[in-house]
Amino acid sequence: MLIRFRAKNFKSLLDEQELSFVASNAIEDNEIAISLLTEDVKLLPAAALYGANASGKTNVLGALEHMVLALRVQASGNFGRGSLSYLPFLLDNKSSKESSEFEIEFTHDGVRYRYGFSYKDSTIEEEWLYAYPKGQPQGWFHRSKNTYKFSRMLKGRNQTIADITNPSVLFLASAVVHNHKQLTDVFEWFVNYIQFSKPTNFGERMFLSMRAAQDDDLRDSIKQILALADLGISDFHVVDNTPDDEKRAFQDKIVAAFTDIFSEDEKWETSEFDELMAEVRREVQFGHKAKGASVVYLDFDRESRGTKTLFTYITPILWALDVGGLLVIDEIENSLHPVIARQLIQLFQTKETNPNGAQLLFTTHSTGLLRDNLMRRDQIWFTEKGNSGETHLYPLSDYGPRKSENLERGYLQGRYGAIPFLGNIDDAFIGRHDD
């Protein structure tokens, strides 16, 4: 589970900004699915980010994704310059020459970890990993450029791997590549327990959803949720579109082109390409109840944008609830009715539907989600833009709102900040057609 995340000098995040899933002891709510980290520390199942357009909400999620993807890419053996892009704050002369820094605290297999790194351009400045197996910190390793310190608690070929780790490569990723078992176990959380969903990766979500639909149990769960959403859908299935001779000939040309590019040991076999194209050609059709008892199946392209979005959300939500993972969604209300978005969030908030400690982190503009105590006050966060364009991230609980306070009205009235303060927009239109 995610405990907290910090980022500094990344895009609009100039100074260090921290997002925490630690529950406030001042707020009591026995109905929400809170997980115990220790007797004194409890973790929340969800957190929402509100803020004006261009205030940095997406950049907060993007900083987390940037850290995770850098590890994933380098741990796959890709050590190229693009595996760790340098994206500092650019609206002043100082920060664009300073290090970007990321740190994350999480629990995995019952152990708390704190991992972080800083870098500038393509050079790792610092990197560290602490473990808390019995509540006491163990500094497993600390790196300052090419100088490493290792704890005796970290077993394995530590120095050997350090000696062959490039200055632009994260040691944790290098350790995974070189089969360091103890560190690979830690790295598994970054691969198996966190997923990102955003408007720009719709195709990826669609691909995974169609794959999931081939599993009978998942297919039944997806069908049930679609039916409960009152979309008029009673069934769905995935169909294969076999290419005609012209398309098949074109695909053969693509195989030949790739075969010329790759070395002998990397040759593409036609059968491998066929397998890939079979995945691409699959299409989903939704069954709608027609007059009488019949069901009419419509192509995916004929469905509403909201139906498409919901279909691609269901699989990652089921995944998170099943494994106790963290699902990060940018613009959760994108094309969805607020009632449906509310129900999706409620799946994480309720103990009965979230027994495994799954977490949801999302951005939204939907003020309706602030109603009716859907979320605790320490689950609501805001981003606000400073005078230099920098993002400030802070929780609603900083304002100490009363339990009975109307949070939606308070937010829209600007009581907590994080809303756009517009001038008289009429002035931009008055007189446009005067001659």
Side-chain angles (χ1 to χ4, degrees), residues 64-80 82-84 104 115 117 127 169-174 176-177 186-198 201 204 208 316 319 323 325-328:
L64 176 58
E65 184 179 23
H66 183 78
M67 181 184 196
V68 171
L69 291 185
L71 269 173
R72 288 180 181 176
V73 170
Q74 291 195 347
S76 70
N78 182 351
F79 298 147
S83 63
L84 188 59
I104 189 168
Y115 171 71
F117 58 83
E127 187 180 4
V169 175
L170 296 165
F171 177 74
L172 179 55
S174 182
V176 173
V177 171
V186 177
F187 172 74
E188 282 182 352
W189 185 84
F190 292 93
V191 176
N192 298 325
Y193 289 91
I194 182 168
Q195 283 192 23
F196 298 89
S197 179
K198 50 190 178 182
N201 71 352
E204 178 185 342
L208 294 174
W319 162 83
V323 307
L326 168 64
L327 178 59
V328 182

Side-chain angles (χ1 to χ4, degrees), residues 168-277:
S168 64
V169 175
L170 296 165
F171 177 74
L172 179 55
S174 182
V176 173
V177 171
H178 295 95
N179 302 312
H180 191 298
K181 185 182 184 310
Q182 195 171 340
L183 292 179
T184 298
D185 290 344
V186 177
F187 172 74
E188 282 182 352
W189 185 84
F190 292 93
V191 176
N192 298 325
Y193 289 91
I194 182 168
Q195 283 192 23
F196 298 89
S197 179
K198 50 190 178 182
T200 55
N201 71 352
F202 178 85
E204 178 185 342
R205 300 201 316 269
M206 186 65 191
F207 181 79
L208 294 174
S209 297
M210 288 197 293
R211 273 198 165 182
Q214 297 172 57
D215 179 282
D216 289 340
D217 290 338
L218 285 175
R219 184 181 180 280
D220 289 343
S221 296
I222 294 171
K223 184 170 71 172
Q224 184 179 11
I225 294 173
L226 288 172
L228 291 173
D230 194 27
L231 302 172
I233 296 173
S234 60
D235 191 19
F236 77 95
H237 58 213
V238 177
V239 296
D240 294 322
N241 290 329
T242 304
D244 55 28
D245 291 341
E246 183 178 353
K247 289 182 179 179
R248 179 71 256 184
F250 177 70
Q251 291 169 7
D252 289 341
K253 290 180 181 179
I254 295 178
V255 174
F258 275 99
T259 301
D260 290 339
I261 295 172
F262 293 131
S263 61
E264 285 298 326
D265 58 347
E266 295 175 322
K267 295 292 186 184
W268 273 37
E269 298 291 340
T270 303
S271 59
E272 295 176 332
F273 188 81
D274 283 344
E275 185 177 344
L276 174 62
M277 292 306 298

Side-chain angles (χ1 to χ4, degrees), residues 6-22:
R6 305 182 186 94
K8 177 182 179 182
N9 197 25
F10 174 80
K11 295 188 175 181
S12 65
L13 310 183
L14 173 57
D15 300 317
E16 181 179 279
Q17 304 298 315
E18 177 179 303
L19 178 74
S20 175
F21 272 79
V22 176

Side-chain angles (χ1 to χ4, degrees), residues 74 115-118 122-129 141-150 162 165-174:
Q74 291 195 347
Y115 171 71
F117 58 83
S118 65
S122 60
T123 301
I124 307 299
E125 301 281 328
E126 283 191 89
E127 187 180 4
W128 58 92
L129 175 63
F141 74 81
H142 187 277
R143 169 190 189 178
S144 180
K145 293 191 175 179
N146 291 325
T147 301
Y148 291 81
K149 292 182 180 180
F150 297 102
T165 298
N166 190 286
S168 64
V169 175
L170 296 165
F171 177 74
L172 179 55
S174 182

